[in-house]
Amino acid sequence: MRPFKYTRASDAMNAVSTVSATTSAKFLAGGTNLLDLMKEDVERPTELVDVTKLNFAQIKAANGGVSIGATAKNTDTANHPLIRQNYPLLTQAILASASGQIRNMATNGGNLNQRTRCSYFYDVAMPCNKRTPGTGCGALDGVNRNHAIFGWSEKCVATYPGDMAVALAALEATVKVQTKDGTERTIAFADYHRLPGDAPEKDNNLNHGELITSIELPKNNFADKSYYLKVRERASYAFALVSVAAALETKGNVIENVRLALGGVAHKPWRALEAEKFLKGKAATEVNFKLAAEMEMKTAKPLEYNKFKVELGRRAIARALMQAMNGGKA
Amino acid sequence: MAEDFDELNAVELTADETALLEDLPELSEIGEARRKFLGQATALGLGALALNLLSPEQVFANLEIPADAVFAPVQVENGVKVAMKINGAEKSLNVDSRMTLLDALREKLNLTGSKKGCDHGQCGACTVIVDGRRVLSCLTLTASCEGKQVTTIEGLAKGDELHPMQTAFIKHDGFQCGYCTPGQICSAVALMNEAKNGEASYVTVDVRGKARSIQLSDDEIRERMSGNLCRCGAYPNIVDAIREVHTGKDVAQKWQFAGETETALFENSVSEDAKQ
Amino acid sequence: MVGEAVSRIDGLLKVTGTAAYATDYAIKNTAHAVIFKSAIAAGKILDIDTGAAEKAAGVLAVITHKNAPKLNEKGGIRGGALLQSPNIEFHGQHIGVVVAETFEQARYAARLVKVNYQKTDAKVDFEKHEKEAVMSKEKDKADAVRGDVEAAFQNAEFKVDEIYDTPIEHHQPMEPHATIAVWEGEKLTLYNGSQIVNGAQTAAAATLNLKPENVRIITPHIGGGFGSKGGQWANLILTAVAAKAVNRPVKLALTRQQMFNSVGLRQRNRQHLRLAATKDGKLTALAHETTTHTATTGEYIEPCGDCSKVMYDVPNSLISYRVVPMNIILPTYTRGPGKSTGSFALESAMDELAYQLKIDPIEFRLKNEPAKDPSSGKPWSSRKTVECLKEGAKAFGWEKRKLEPRSNRQGNYLIGYGVACGTYPARQRNTSAIVKLTRNGSDINASIELAASDLGTGTHTILAQTAADALGLPMNKIGVKIGDSALPPAAGSVGSVGAASFANAVNDACEKITDELIAKSGKQFFVRPTAAQLMISENTSEFQTRVDAKPPTDADKFSAHSFNANFAEVRVNDATGMVRVNRFLAATGAGKILNPKTAHSQIIGGGIWGIGMALTEESTLDPRRGNFVTRSFADYHVPSNLDIGAMETIFINEDDKIPNKLGVKGIGEVGIVGVAAAIANAVFNATGKRIRELPITPDKLL
């Protein structure tokens, strides 16, 4: 860990100006990923601005939906009555991630910005375009079991590791950001995280110094039929091989509205739009769920070590939709 | 500790020590189990004393925070002044901005109960309770702890009296090497509150249900304790210890000798279908 | 007290955070060291620039091969990496150490070192180099042949001929390997987790060119080891070197990431297993051929064929090993070395053959129960496999198992039952012990002293129990002092010899002190008095004796082992392929159980290791670069609490005084043996899929 200056921000605009002024300055919130990366020498900030004392921790009803503050803890978000009642998908996704201790520390804003767990990114002895642009992608010709099957580039095959964001993608949340000129801007969730393309060092479309203030959840009718399914290599406390956020709105047996997002398969939470398109207006049957899954996964481009993710994705999508139909019970 | 180790001699029990050992909180009021447990608790307490020449006073004296800076560095880089309460005592520190709470506890305050298992938030051995919640001290900057209340394993016992969770871990052999134990116990203690507050977990059948005090199933305990790795494999015993504290009811042993009257094996084996 | 379910006497220390592990000692003026490592798998260091590190704040010294002292590389430290040359033998080899005032400063400075390498072709891909494997030079790894295996296979009607693969695994005890080194003149004290206290002492002394009596190891509590703290590794020596260099005490702990290429591993094994049987289920041939890798600088092969030597009555048998040196850190003994992995192959194959024969796998095993050790012809000292299988089956509810797979479904889950046996040798090793008695009025206290170790095994407790009985004192009057090389030399807590060696030595010492007190009294007694009674009757205030205990001379005439039968019920998610172990039961015949509470913990600990082996644990190397891609607890999945279901233990009573006087066989290893096979067999019973490559991750069941 490089030496750095630590300051506590008492005012959002000050925090934004401070970080904006120095390219190697960063915000510190829960720190669960940033400190981890600093100890690995992957992140090397010279200044940390602690934003946890800023007044962005509220979770409240807003515009028919719910606004969740950027510095609210994951635990509080998952357990807030407004979220449990209206967005159980988000509750399940958060609770599927990390551990109780980490969820007590991690903030919602920080969670969105967590970085890939690609082993080549983490190991500074290895080449990685995301960590050090121009050094190559170690995973492309290396062990890429945990890597992307959608949307990767020759520059980077890493996946976004989180769970919460997969649910937020399905819920079509928006991200509110304070910019350095003092204005506020809103980013649609689909535009928040990026595909790697030629610039894998950029995980998302936040500009340096911009601070997330809240995540807005629009009103929806998915609460009765949603489910977050996470497939992993141990029962708990592990990143996803594949995860699925599934949400359905049905009338009789007909699917009026459906949202599907996948985790563990791409550089960003992957909206399964092909599958959604197929399902809309169809009967909510296992056969249709399987056809939809098939349709989505046939566009996948697996790597040498992760071919299994295509079949696993198919099965996980169909199962998550079935579980959603069953009321999302564990 | 090193010095203590050199001076091992036989230990005599003072009246206070005897009293303390009899006062170890038991978990059951049921005749046979209670008698047995007291017998064992006495044995373990005394053995422990003889072992490292620690009288109960000494064991608990160790829990008090010693003077700051056991071996303070010559200069502190990017020093940050932090005032916080640790196990009830006000502490003021001037730390390198890079110093984690775990390293501050261990290296500056000589509170070595919190353990460094991975230093990256992947094992839970460093779990402490900050402002009532379990967190990982290895991923917490000391600098960020201004005004916070920190409870470590050394702060769980009240005076001479162990926390019931500590007693239950001894009774159910909820550890082997003991290295993950302080983190497991801090985690378990905080977990009791989470259950009381009705917080949900990934294996909670219906997360839409109202948050109210809940009775944790074994799978609920397992899921909620999964952030604390134990390599020796004490998990089932840890679950038993937590269940006993959580329910207030005795949890039976899980072993028997062949030929003895069969106890109810797998009494709780009907596992709830965890989500996969 | 022996045989009673006593709670651990060190429990109070462990639950209050006051048990001291290696880095918990507060020693004034301690400096902090951090190791840095090679970024290539083979070649040499052309140039190493430590300038920036040396100039960094707080740095006291940077030690590399260029300025390290000359050490004895054959002193008994495992795995090399002692900074004696610029040569690189594996990825992540230690190439230097930074010492600084604080941990933060040392960690930062270690990142500032720049290294220029000359790479050579590294052998890291086992698939590619497997064919280069040759016979070991070790005598016990030579081909062991009985009868005519090939002829028996040719004539067999029923046979299994399969490859079973187990991956590299890592011990990863929760306490990373760590040391505090303190020099006082030529005398060196090392606070360092050591399963073999005297072994650590002699290896450190020899490597550092010191007299053994000038090196003291202190290790009263060890945060797990599982074999990785049996032999000692370069980090111990580098701490001492660093402390000498800065003339201050130095603390050095490996990071969790560094643990993957610093302290050994369980090697990858490719086991070719063939079994043949008659149609009524009598085995006719068994061939167990293992191919594996070792380091370029040394050899270790885990004995995968050991179980196959003794488990079944089979007239024709072949056990063999082939090994290829590779640029991977030296493998080393890992819980249940060879037996845990070997039993996966053997006991999976037994299950496959039983299914072919349409015989219940328990019945199949009972049909092939050997009357004596088939490999040596020696009689068993005792063998309770039959009882383990029968009692275990009864308690587990084995009768509910259906022979045909996929016949038990509950909702989205397929349920399966599996069984597998295991074994581990029972041995006693030379151990000395001192017992001291002191009396104050009618209050008598005893101190038991020996350089034994307790890595969570319960040594402290069982020795207090043993001494209490042998001296006629309550347990609370017994002080147990272990984990210090200044005490009488003892065997190690390795290979399941600890309990037998330590407890017998303590028992002998207590008997001897009683004899000596009787002799001292000059009286004759009708009933043998206890040492405690004699201290009072003879008005003795202090008395002590020492014993050098050895195993019984005729133990070698018998084949002595612990045996078990493992039962697993799994459920497999029919969509995702995730497997959970609902229930697990081990029935074990392991001689005298000194303390069923701690023994149960040992058995379920082994069981959980087996569950990890079966389902979650795998270390993966990049086949081109030689780095571990699984390099943290986030990638290397040791089981979490939720991975473990209900665990039950049955002990089979066994009164066997042949291996040692107390009849202790040891249980630290046998608990893992057969577990992975029981789970793989249960997965087959659930799904109809036979997985021969561990771990059984979801992708393998799609």
Side-chain angles (χ1 to χ4, degrees), chain A residues 231-245:
Chain A
V231 187
R232 40 188 157 176
E233 288 174 323
R234 69 180 166 200
S236 186
Y237 203 18
F239 292 99
L241 289 171
V242 169
S243 68
V244 181

Side-chain angles (χ1 to χ4, degrees), chain A residues 1-6 8 28 30-33 35-40 48 50 52-53 73 75-76 78-79 84-86 88-89 91-93 95-96 98-105 122 223-225 227-232 234-237 323 327-330, chain B residues 77-78 80-82 96-100 103 119-124 127 133-148 183 187 194 197-212 222-224 226-229 273-276:
Chain A
M1 197 186 288
R2 314 259 153 168
F4 62 86
K5 185 178 159 203
Y6 170 91
R8 289 180 204 111
L28 171 72
T32 53
N33 190 205
L35 254 69
D36 166 34
L37 288 165
M38 286 164 67
K39 290 178 185 185
E40 294 267 21
L48 285 186
D50 186 337
T52 52
K53 296 265 158 70
K73 304 290 188 192
T75 297
D76 295 325
N79 282 296
R84 281 175 74 159
Q85 239 344 280
N86 304 302
L89 179 66
T91 296
Q92 284 179 331
L95 296 177
S99 68
Q101 291 95 312
I102 292 175
R103 295 190 297 268
N104 280 342
M105 304 169 72
Y122 260 76
D224 290 338
K225 294 189 176 67
Y227 187 68
Y228 189 76
L229 175 71
K230 184 171 181 180
V231 187
R232 40 188 157 176
R234 69 180 166 200
S236 186
Y237 203 18
Q323 296 274 116
K329 299 273 199 301
Chain B
E77 285 180 79
N78 290 304
V80 183
K81 287 201 166 61
V82 189
D96 184 321
S97 61
R98 294 172 291 186
M99 188 172 245
T100 62
D103 287 324
D119 213 16
H120 286 267
Q122 298 163 348
C123 79
T127 302
R133 287 185 153 183
R134 49 180 172 157
V135 300
L136 300 175
S137 60
C138 79
L139 293 182
T140 303
L141 285 180
T142 311
S144 71
C145 292
E146 175 69 24
K148 302 214 162 145
S187 202
E194 294 169 14
N197 296 338
E199 292 182 17
S201 88
Y202 187 59
V203 300
T204 302
V205 176
D206 182 8
V207 299
R208 296 185 79 193
K210 277 228 166 60
R212 57 171 191 276
R222 290 174 184 134
E223 160 62 19
R224 291 161 193 256
S226 283
N228 291 84
L229 299 182
D273 278 357
K275 272 182 287 196
Q276 298 206 349

Side-chain angles (χ1 to χ4, degrees), chain C residues 238-250:
Chain C
L238 296 183
T239 316
V241 167
K244 192 81 182 169
V246 301
N247 199 24
R248 279 169 66 172
V250 165

Side-chain angles (χ1 to χ4, degrees), chain C residues 112-332:
Chain C
L112 299 177
V113 176
K114 290 198 172 57
V115 188
N116 187 12
Y117 300 97
Q118 183 179 58
K119 268 198 217 179
T120 54
D121 284 343
K123 284 189 186 182
V124 291
D125 186 354
F126 181 72
E127 310 283 333
K128 204 161 119 190
H129 297 285
E130 185 195 358
K131 287 188 191 69
E132 300 161 26
V134 295
M135 199 187 289
S136 163
K137 287 179 205 77
E138 285 176 46
K139 232 164 102 189
D140 68 337
K141 299 295 185 310
D143 292 2
V145 186
R146 276 191 298 115
D148 187 341
V149 167
E150 300 307 329
F153 278 119
Q154 266 177 4
N155 301 327
E157 198 179 340
F158 292 89
K159 53 191 159 189
V160 169
D161 181 346
E162 297 289 352
I163 303 285
Y164 299 87
D165 276 308
T166 56
I168 291 176
E169 295 173 9
H170 279 88
H171 314 77
Q172 296 296 356
M174 292 309 297
E175 178 199 28
H177 289 51
T179 311
I180 299 175
V182 186
W183 290 90
E184 284 163 280
E186 282 307 293
K187 288 195 183 288
L188 172 64
T189 302
L190 296 163
Y191 300 86
N192 179 80
S194 313
Q195 291 177 239
I196 313 173
V197 179
N198 301 105
Q201 176 192 24
T202 50
T207 306
L208 291 159
N209 302 306
L210 298 170
K211 291 181 188 147
E213 59 267 31
N214 282 343
V215 175
R216 182 170 176 203
I217 303 286
I218 294 181
T219 178
H221 303 287
I222 306 168
F226 316 110
S228 68
K229 291 172 187 163
Q232 291 295 325
W233 304 82
N235 59 293
L236 169 67
I237 302 301
L238 296 183
T239 316
V241 167
K244 192 81 182 169
V246 301
N247 199 24
R248 279 169 66 172
V250 165
K251 182 187 285 196
L252 189 162
L254 294 174
T255 67
R256 184 56 63 186
Q257 289 83 348
Q258 290 176 340
M259 290 282 288
F260 284 87
N261 42 30
S262 298
V263 292
L265 44 74
R266 192 201 293 282
Q267 60 217 114
R268 175 166 178 183
N269 297 296
R270 177 153 285 173
Q271 302 177 63
H272 182 195
L273 207 130
R274 290 177 290 161
L275 279 180
T278 62
K279 71 170 186 302
D280 53 356
K282 185 71 200 68
L283 285 172
T284 56
L286 189 170
H288 193 157
E289 297 160 277
T290 303
T291 308
T292 190
H293 57 91
T294 186
T296 52
T297 51
E299 183 175 292
Y300 175 81
I301 301 172
E302 68 166 357
C304 289
D306 272 8
C307 285
S308 292
K309 282 184 177 171
V310 301
M311 274 316 292
Y312 300 110
D313 184 23
V314 54
N316 304 292
S317 119
L318 162 68
I319 311 290
S320 77
Y321 298 92
R322 298 293 181 269
V323 63
V324 54
M326 293 178 65
N327 295 105
I328 302 172
I329 191 171
L330 182 68
T332 194

Side-chain angles (χ1 to χ4, degrees), chain C residues 70 212 268 295 455 666:
Chain C
K70 177 87 188 102
R268 175 166 178 183
L455 58 151

